[in-house]
Each structure stands twice: as C-alpha cells, then as structure tokens.
Amino acid sequence: MIKFILMVNRQGQTRLSRYYTPVELSRRALLEADVVRCCLSRKKDQCSFVEYKDFKLVYRQYAALYIVVGVTDSENELSVYELVHNFVEVLDKYFSRVIMFNLDRVHIILDEMIQNGHIVETNKSRILAPLNALDKMADG
Amino acid sequence: MPAVSKGDGMRGLAVFISDIRNCKSKEAEIKRINKELANIRSKFKGDKALDGYSKKKYVCKLLFIFLLGHDIDFGHMEAVNLLSSNKYTEKQIGYLFISVLVNSNSDLIRLINNGIKNDLASRNPTFMNLALHCIANVGSREMAEAFASQIPNILVAGDTMDSVKQSAALCLLRLNRMSPDLVPMGEWTARVVHLLNDQHLGVVTAATSLITNLAQKSPDDFKTAVSLAVARLSRIVTSASIDLQDYTYYFVAAPWLSVKLLRLLQCYPPPEDAALRSRLTECLETILNKAQEPPKSKKVQHSNAKNAILFEAISLIILHDSEPTLLVRACNQLGQFLQHRETNLRYLALESMCTLASSEFSHEAVKTHIDTVINALKTERDVSVRQRAVDLLYAMCDRSNAKQIVAEMLSYLETADYSIREEIVLKVAILAEKYAVDYTWYVDTILNLIRIAGDYVSEEVWYRVIQIVINRDEVQGYAAKTVFEALQAPACHENLVKVGGYILGEFGNLIAGDSRSSPLVQFNLLHSKFHLCSVPTRALLLSAYIKFINLFPEVKTTIQDVLRSDSQLRNADVELQQRAVEYLRLSCIASTDILATVLEEMPPFPERESSILAKLKKKKGPGHLPDIDDARRNVNGSTEHSENAEAPKTGSNHPFTDLMSVNSPPPVANSLLVDVFSDISTPAPVDVCEENFSRFVCKNNGVIFENQLLQIGLKSEYRQNLGRMYVFFGNKTSTQFLSFSSSVASQDSLKAHILSATCVLSPQLNVHAKTVDPIIEGGAQVQQILNIECVSDFTDAPVLTIQFRYGGALQNITVKLPVMLNKFFQPTEMTSQDFFQRWKQLGAPQQEVQKIFKAKHPMDSEVTKAKILGFGVALLDGVDPNPANFVGAGVIHTKSTQVGCLLRLEPNTQAEMYRLTLRTSRDSVSQRLCDLLSDQF
C-alpha cells in the first residue's frame, strides 16, 4: 500500500503531504527532509525506486517539482510510478496556474484518486467530477 | 479550466501564500507566519462571530502553515464547526483540517462523530464521501466503534452511489485493519465479492483492494473471489483498448486494476478447477505475449503501464510455481529487460529474477543470464541496481558457478559502496562455505575477504572460518601455511591477525618442518603484530603463545621471556595481565603431560546453524531474502550433512544422535500406552493424501498438503545416503491448534496403528523426526525437522501422521512424504566413451527396464531438461547421436551399497510419446526409478 505522498520543490520545501499510515506530527518534518534529500541527490540516470528503511520510495520529477511516494515492499513500483503521472495529468487538466494557491483542490483530487493508501479511481473525468460540480455551484 | 478565476478564490489566502513565497530568508518566513498566526488567533477569539467563509479562509491558512512544517495548536474547534456547514467547500476544508491534523486520540472525536453521523445520514453522496474519508483517515477507535456497523451496509446496499461505494470499501478496509473485531464477517462478505462484477471499474478497483486485504486474513471466506477475479482480468486483457474508455491509460486497458487483480490472485494457490486454471494461464500468456508486440505508443507511460502489469503477472507465475512453460517464458522476458535502456526496468528485472532463481523449474534458465548480471555489477551507475545484481548472483549461485560468482563478488568488493560492503562480505562467506568442494578454496576466499574488506568482516565470519578449519583435518595444514604467508604482509588487518593467531596456535606444528616457517619464525611473525593490536586480539595472541609452548618446547624460553616482560606482567589491562601471569606460571610449573592435556588441540565444534546466515537474515529483516530460505541454498544443512557423512559416530547406531534435541520424546512403548487411554488410539480410518506426491519427484520444495485449516510445506535436501527434510506446518486459521503432534511411520506400520512412533526403523529407510511444539498459534508456522537415512533401496515412501485439536474437534491428517529413491542420487559426469562402455556392461536383461508412454504435458525440451536434472542425475550432452534425446547418469547412495544408474529418454514429438530406458546394476532399482520418472512427462 501507499504510505505517504509528498510534493516538494527543488529547495526541499514541502508543498503537499498526505500520510496514509500514522506518523507523529513531530516526526513528519524529519522524515520529509530525509526522504527529500534522498531523492534530490539522485541523478537522472538512476532508477526511480529507492529502498528507504523498511519501505520503498518511488519518485518522479517534473521540472522543479518532485513527487515522492512512500510504498510498502509489496506494492507494484511501476504502477505507482504511473499513478504519479496520472495524478499530474489530472492536475494539468484542471489547473492553469500555480497549484499552490489551490491546495484544497489538490487535496480533493488526491482524495478522489487515493484513499487510505489504495488507489480508488484512475478515470480522469470521474476524478474531476466533484470539483467540476463544485465550480458550477460557485458560478451559479 | 482556471479554477482561481472562479468565484470563491480566497484572496486573503492567495496574498498570504504569495508573501510566504516571496520571503527571502527562513527568518522572514517565520516572522510572516507568526504575524499571521497572531492575526488568526485574534479573529477566532474576537467578539464578532465569524461567517463560514472567513472561518474557512483562516482554517485554510492554518493548514498551509502546518504543511510548511509549523506546529498548529489551535483552530481545531473552528474546523469542527465547519463540518456542520451546508456549503460543500466549507465542509470540505473542515474535514481536510481534521484528517490532516487531528490525532486518533483527540478529545474532539465525539464532536467530529456528530458531524459524520449527520453527513452519513444525509444521503447526499458528496457529503457521505467526505464523512467516509474522514473515518478512514483519522482511524480512531472511538470513531470506528460508532460507525463500524453501518459501513458494510452502505457498501453493499443496492441504491448506494458508485462513488460512495468506493469510499465505503476503502473505509471498511481501514476499519478491518485497525479494529477487525468491530467488523465481523457476515452476510455482506459474499456480496462484497460480487462487487468484482460491478459495471463500474472504479468500484471494482476499490473492492479489489478491500478483498485482497480481507482474503489475506481469512482466505476461506473469500475463495469465490478467485473465479470472479480471473474472469474480470480475462475480460480486461482481451479487450480492445477502446472498450474501457476512460480507464484506458496510454492504450493500456485499466492497468491499475489489472495489477490489483493479479495481486489478489496471489493470495491463493493455483485454482484447482481445470477450466478456471486454463483461463488464468491464458490470461498470463496473453500478458506475456503483449510484451512482445510492437508498442502502440512511443510514450514511456505506455510501456510503463504495460510493464507494471507484466511484472505483477510474473510475480503471480513465480508464486504459483506450477507452470514450467510460463516460468521459463517469464525468465526469458526478464532476461530481455536486464539489457533494457531504462534503469527502472533493469532494476525490477533483477529483483524479480531473484525470486525466480529459487524455483526448481527456472533455476537453470536464470543461470544463463549470469554474464549479463555480472556486467550489471560492473557497469551500473546506480548503487541500488548494483545491489540487486549482487542479490541475484547470490540467488543463482550453485555448485556449478560458485567459483565464478564468488570471484566476481570479491573483485566488486574492492570498489563497492561502503553501504553494502558488509552484506557482500556475508554473502561471499556463505557461498564460499556452502559450495566449497575443496576447502583450500574456502580458506583462500575468506582470507581474501579479510584482505579486501577487513573492516567489514564481522566476528561471525572469522569465527566460522576457524570452526571449519578445526572441524576439517584435510585443510588444517593448508590453512596454517596460507595464514602464515598472509601475515608476511607489512600491514595486515587485525582480523587476519586474529585468524592467524588462532590457526597457528592450533596447527602451527603442521608447517614447522619447513625452516622458513620454523616455530621461532612463526612466533616472531605473530609477535611483530602484537603491539599494533587491540586488547581482545592481544589476549587471543597470548593464548596462541601458550599453545606454542606446548607445541614447540624449543621456543619455550623465548616466549616465557616475553610473558615475563613488564609490558605483559604489569599491563594496565586486567585481562591481559591475568593471562600473562597465569600462562607464565602454567608454563613454569606444569609437567609436559599436564601442559599437553591442558593445551590440547581444540575438539571439533558442534555443528550448528551458521551464525553468518543468521546475521544476514537479521540484516535484511524478516521476509526480505526469500532466496535464503530456499533449501536449495541452505548452508547450515549441507555442512551438517557432510559432517555426518564423513564422520559417523562410532558405536552409535544412529548417525543423527548428536543432532537430537535434548528434550527428546518419551520412548515409543510409553506413548503407545498413553494412547490406549486417549482418543488418539481410535482414529477414524484415514486416507493417506498422495495428491501432490508425484510433483515432488523432480523437486524438493513446495506445498505437499493444504486444506482449510492447515498448510504443510516442505523443504528438503539430500547428500549421498542422508537427507534432511524441513516440514513447515502453517496454521491458516486465527485459532490455536492444540495437542499438535506429527510423526512419521512407514505405510505398513500405519496399518498397525503405531501412530505416535517417533523413530521408525523400517529395514530400508530410517526416518527420525524431532518433536514439534504441541501448540500452533493462529496464523503461525512451526517447523519440524526429519532426518532421513537410506539403508538400502526402497519403494514405499514413509507417511507423516498429523493430529491436532481445532476448536474441540480432533483432526487427523496423513500425508505421504515425498522421500523417493531418486533423492539419494549423486549426479555423475562422464564422457561419451565411458557412458557406452558402462551401458554395455549393464546389458543383462533384468538390469534394463524400458517403458513407452504417452506425454501428459507439453513436450518442451527445456522443461524436460529441468526435470531430469531435478530427478538427480547429470545430463550428458553430446553422448546420444540424436540431439533430441536426453542421456543422464548418476549414482544412488544407500548405506549398504551404491548403485550406478544410466538413463536415456527419447521423445517422439510427432506421436507425443516418450521411450524411457534405465539400466542399473539392480533390477529393483531400475524398476522403481523408471516408475518414478515416467510419471513426470
């Protein structure tokens, strides 16, 4: 299963984090810093899966943004790797500007895709359905 | 669709975020945040009641501040208030804040529960979803207690919206993981399984996660999921990519769902129903075929999604370990990936192949990739990929390639990353010990290890080399000579000094004849290292010196002088001082006889589990090294066997006496007496389970028996006429098995109801079983070790009788153990000329047995090869003029005699027939082997 998902920039600042297994608040910052350091230090030709403590990190880089997913050993790495891309494509489809201003919406999207560390929905239009409904309400 | 332009973009929030982003320093950021926190606090505390929009805005700011890594200690109440709002955006922010920031033990839970309760009852799907997400994310016990009974109903109710079903499934999964007692299995379980048939693939995806999780806990309740999952998978893999519309990702149909379905199937053994099984095989074949088709898109996303499914399919194939053709195809596919330009694929291929190497069917196929893997070790730029390569080399190692692999690992060690050196050292040490035919090679390898990576050689490793040298006479002289030479180096590692000191102290006399390594030279050499060493090493050297006094009286005075020096007798370290004083006195007052007795050569160490292996397991963590567990590569077992084979204890009838546990079972007679008064003595007539017996003719490991309660797995290994079988009893239920007992009997004695025999001496076969713990906890596994000795050739296999109480009912299970004559084969390589000469010598009519039979399985020559090798004989290439035929040779070892055996298998692919010819010096052996082998094709 998926343990957490992080979005960080190249400076190592966390832009979004979502945990699916309980991690104490005080330890999150430490964990995030360490995980980010682990991924940022890797080169392009290195593999996108990193063994980290007793689980694995799957990461993908989009320009200055890194998305890092912590998964248990039993998870299929490639499918998570593509899940990240699917997520980014959904974000692309919905947002035209910097997503940081719309963190709540990013969370809605993420919650539509992953719940509890498991994939629930991969169909882009269904992922965006609640948000679009929301926007219609606001317009109306 | 620029959302920011939409009506509710919170301007204040956007300004705040911009401010933060524009902060030039960390200090400025903290200052800005503190200002904002003060502002929010005053707003929340102010007299003016805030409207929903402002509450939302401030809570959202707090959330953002929290995500930047700052503590938030207020605002929870406002967030809870937002739950009761009727506006979706406000409610959503409230839930988001709670699920990100509220701990499961917060005292706010009761208030939150109230909000959830209203939303669940609202019948508004978006509100219900938020509430379900919240239950799942917060995961508090109190919350679970309040809602657990409702969730299954929401999930299976006919009128629930699809998206709510998805959330309910994942919520239930969380509840089941966290507090399984609150969601007992019930009539909903059957209906959950049918969600696999749901029209909506999103629901199927969520349901598959749930069912996989539940099936891992109680497989029996969800057995029906197998056929549904296979059907679903089959529909997906055979569909045209457009059929699944939005679930198609870069021309791949529902990749994530396919992966999940394959994962669900991994919870179960291969389906027993033939039609279902062939449908599954078809699916897997289709997936393998697709990998060979030209890609439908050049995008990397396409190939990644396709390969995600492929790797999961290969995991399933490996786990089932039952279809040789699929296994070999999987291996070939992975072989292609090993050279792929994508690092990710090479990494995954190495990882996957590691598990493939432990399957009997594909071990040989994996071995063919050895050069690619070695190349990966040398050229990969990523340490994690190189680490996988090391793992794979370790897994594919066997007697035939051990020297090459160990040499490559040693040379890699010189440049290896520090992070993985210790592990490589352990692996080299294990492989060197396990596959050492010639122990001089072993000694060389370990000394090289110490030379190259002395700092990473742990105590276990050098203890082990000493144990082995002491236990093996033939290598002692060589070891003494080699360490002596190694110690000549001006700078040598302290570990080498330790090994050198110990070995020269014990066996220095073996090389003392040579003037270049006379006693004095040896002593001076060791003593030249003394002052550079740490205290424990010095202590060891002092012991070596006193041993020298015993071995070589001529250096006695020199050594006594050294011991007498102030730096020894008055050493600041108590241990060193004491040794010096005691050794000096001992050497002065004791007579030569006493000295010789006290300082006698060390007795052989009792053989026990190699501590190195234990260390490697610990290092990797449980369950991380499946290859080690495979009996094919069970280090300790094999050395124990060779010990026994070479040095049977005289005066004992039983070569395994020394290995018996101390708390051995009561004698047979006693237990029989007890049995009369217990219900055990009147067992229902039991059928001996032979179902899987024949599958074990050509392999040594696997599951021999499985029912709803119990799974019995076997790992076995044989050397000459001795064998050891590890029997694993897995309790599949969640309840204890009580009064568990398991014993071995020959089939005849079974009929006579001697059920509790622990040691059965049938004339041809001795099997000794250690006792097992009488209680097996729910979900736990216990191991029983059977030691087997083949006295003379035999036909009947022993049976294992198992009894236990499960929920008050007495269970009896009897399983035929796959101990067959061919297990005691040792392969023999020979030239074509030798082969035909012997073939002619065994020409008497009763020595030959021939059988012509129809093929039961597809006639694949690779599979046939693997089976013949698994049967135990050596495959001889180029002996038979017809390359399609197989020729093998081996020797059956029994205690009384050895029986040479030649075999020839001629496949006729057109007629789908085989002709099998066996020639051995004994007619009974020929017949038995022919019966066993002919059944396999």
Side-chain angles (χ1 to χ4, degrees), chain B residues 838-867:
Chain B
R838 288 184 206 192
W839 185 264
K840 278 182 203 130
Q841 281 166 2
L842 297 170
Q846 71 275 16
Q847 289 175 328
E848 178 180 292
V849 175
Q850 193 171 70
K851 197 166 176 180
I852 297 170
F853 53 94
K854 197 140 183 71
K856 281 188 287 186
H857 303 287
M859 297 175 78
D860 181 322
S861 74
E862 287 304 313
V863 176
T864 310
K865 262 188 202 165
K867 282 183 176 167

Side-chain angles (χ1 to χ4, degrees), chain B residues 487-699:
Chain B
L487 283 170
Q488 306 284 344
C492 48
H493 196 273
E494 189 162 335
N495 278 333
L496 181 66
V497 180
K498 288 179 186 163
V499 176
Y502 201 109
I503 289 183
L504 291 181
E506 294 293 330
F507 309 113
N509 56 330
L510 298 177
I511 55 168
D514 189 331
S515 63
R516 284 165 298 177
S517 53
S518 69
L520 192 61
V521 176
Q522 285 185 39
F523 172 72
N524 285 336
L525 180 62
L526 279 182
H527 199 55
S528 70
K529 316 282 179 197
F530 187 91
H531 300 282
L532 299 170
C533 291
S534 63
V535 170
T537 311
R538 290 192 199 185
L540 187 150
L541 285 178
L542 287 178
S543 300
Y545 296 169
I546 187 73
K547 291 238 167 187
F548 268 26
I549 292 184
N550 173 43
L551 289 178
F552 317 117
E554 62 266 42
V555 294
K556 183 173 176 179
T557 49
T558 322
I559 293 177
Q560 280 176 332
D561 286 343
V562 168
L563 291 177
R564 206 174 282 123
S565 71
D566 278 357
S567 63
Q568 306 296 353
L569 275 189
R570 297 175 188 216
N571 194 297
D573 187 90
V574 183
E575 175 68 30
L576 291 182
Q577 194 186 86
Q578 188 173 0
R579 285 198 189 206
V581 172
E582 286 178 2
Y583 290 160
L584 182 62
R585 286 304 291 159
L586 181 68
S587 69
C588 295
I589 56 169
S591 70
T592 14
D593 284 353
I594 293 178
L595 212 54
T597 318
V598 173
L599 301 171
E600 203 182 359
E601 189 179 304
M602 290 296 285
F605 287 87
E607 279 296 334
R608 51 178 168 244
E609 153 139 358
S610 162
S611 47
I612 310 181
L613 200 63
K615 174 146 179 162
L616 183 63
K617 278 182 191 163
K618 198 169 131 204
K619 200 170 156 52
K620 282 297 228 175
H624 203 94
L625 256 191
D627 45 327
I628 296 257
D629 290 326
D630 181 30
R632 182 202 280 280
R633 46 201 97 263
N634 192 318
V635 182
N636 20 330
S638 62
T639 44
E640 266 170 4
H641 280 178
S642 49
E643 286 307 310
N644 280 315
E646 281 164 30
K649 301 280 175 291
T650 44
S652 157
N653 289 338
H654 212 288
F656 289 107
T657 0
D658 51 335
L659 296 173
M660 273 200 253
S661 54
V662 190
N663 49 351
S664 12
V668 179
N670 262 355
S671 54
L672 266 182
L673 197 61
V674 174
D675 287 347
V676 174
F677 299 104
S678 70
D679 43 4
I680 297 173
S681 62
T682 54
V686 278
D687 295 328
V688 177
C689 168
E690 299 186 19
E691 199 182 349
N692 292 328
F693 183 79
S694 67
R695 286 176 51 194
F696 281 82
V697 171
C698 294
K699 65 177 200 172

Side-chain angles (χ1 to χ4, degrees), chain A residues 42 45 47-48 51 56 74 76 79 82 85 89 94 96 108 115-116 120-121 123 125-126 134, chain B residues 1 88 92 133 166 170 200 246-247 249-250 256 263 301 304 308 312 343-344 351 381-382 388:
Chain A
R42 295 173 67 83
D45 60 353
C47 109
S48 321
E51 272 160 61
K56 271 188 183 159
S74 58
N76 182 311
S79 87
E82 282 313 311
H85 190 73
E89 283 186 346
Y94 184 76
S96 56
I108 297 183
Q115 277 174 32
N116 228 322
V120 271
E121 188 58 79
N123 173 339
S125 44
R126 283 189 48 91
L134 215 64
Chain B
M1 233 178 292
Y88 178 81
Q92 192 257 337
H133 285 197
Q166 286 171 280
L170 270 302
H200 188 319
D246 287 346
Y247 287 90
Y249 178 80
Y250 288 90
W256 292 283
R263 175 56 51 99
Q301 284 82 1
N304 277 344
E312 206 59 58
T343 315
N344 290 347
E351 187 179 59
R381 293 204 214 160
D382 185 344
R388 288 283 148 268

Side-chain angles (χ1 to χ4, degrees), chain B residues 168-239:
Chain B
L170 270 302
C171 183
L172 195 56
L173 192 164
R174 173 66 187 259
L175 292 182
N176 182 269
R177 193 180 300 150
M178 194 177 54
S179 6
D181 54 310
L182 293 178
V183 272
M185 301 292 152
E187 51 132 9
W188 59 274
T189 45
R191 298 174 66 182
V192 164
V193 171
H194 281 280
L195 289 178
L196 288 175
N197 266 338
D198 202 284
Q199 288 186 327
H200 188 319
L201 287 193
V203 174
V204 184
T205 309
T208 313
S209 293
L210 173 65
I211 295 167
T212 307
N213 195 269
L214 294 171
Q216 279 162 351
K217 284 191 179 163
S218 42
D220 289 342
D221 289 327
F222 294 91
K223 259 193 176 150
T224 42
V226 174
S227 61
L228 292 173
V230 171
R232 192 89 218 193
L233 183 68
S234 154
R235 264 180 284 159
I236 295 174
V237 296
T238 52
S239 70

Side-chain angles (χ1 to χ4, degrees), chain B residues 199-400:
Chain B
Q199 288 186 327
H200 188 319
L201 287 193
V203 174
V204 184
T205 309
T208 313
S209 293
L210 173 65
I211 295 167
T212 307
N213 195 269
L214 294 171
Q216 279 162 351
K217 284 191 179 163
S218 42
D220 289 342
D221 289 327
F222 294 91
K223 259 193 176 150
T224 42
V226 174
S227 61
L228 292 173
V230 171
R232 192 89 218 193
L233 183 68
S234 154
R235 264 180 284 159
I236 295 174
V237 296
T238 52
S239 70
S241 52
I242 40 161
D243 291 356
L244 298 166
Q245 296 158 1
D246 287 346
Y247 287 90
T248 300
Y249 178 80
Y250 288 90
F251 304 101
V252 181
W256 292 283
L257 178 54
S258 309
V259 166
K260 274 177 190 270
L261 289 169
L262 286 162
R263 175 56 51 99
L264 168 60
L265 291 172
Q266 287 172 39
C267 301
Y268 290 93
E272 277 158 25
D273 175 57
L276 189 60
R277 197 177 167 133
S278 73
R279 193 159 183 201
L280 176 59
T281 309
E282 235 167 70
C283 281
L284 295 171
E285 274 169 353
T286 313
I287 294 172
L288 284 168
N289 290 341
K290 281 189 179 174
Q292 299 299 334
E293 286 167 13
K296 292 194 183 118
S297 154
K298 285 204 173 105
K299 287 263 171 58
V300 65
Q301 284 82 1
H302 171 72
S303 63
N304 277 344
K306 214 162 76 168
N307 292 331
I309 303 174
L310 181 61
F311 276 110
E312 206 59 58
I314 290 176
S315 299
L316 180 66
I317 293 171
I318 296 172
L319 197 88
H320 280 179
D321 196 11
S322 62
E323 299 279 346
T325 20
L326 287 178
L327 281 160
V328 171
R329 282 194 68 184
C331 183
N332 294 339
Q333 182 61 53
L334 293 177
Q336 285 183 15
F337 284 151
L338 284 184
Q339 316 212 26
H340 202 278
R341 65 194 152 76
E342 287 264 332
T343 315
N344 290 347
L345 286 183
R346 295 198 301 274
Y347 171 89
L348 293 173
L350 286 167
E351 187 179 59
S352 208
M353 216 179 232
C354 218
T355 46
L356 202 54
S358 55
S359 161
E360 304 269 337
F361 295 119
S362 48
H363 184 77
E364 289 301 315
V366 170
K367 271 166 63 185
T368 57
H369 299 288
I370 183 166
D371 292 329
T372 320
V373 182
I374 287 174
N375 193 38
L377 194 61
K378 290 176 177 160
T379 56
E380 282 292 348
R381 293 204 214 160
D382 185 344
V383 55
S384 46
V385 184
R386 288 196 297 270
Q387 166 126 36
R388 288 283 148 268
V390 172
D391 286 349
L392 177 54
L393 282 179
Y394 179 73
M396 66 161 69
C397 191
D398 64 15
R399 194 142 291 172
S400 69

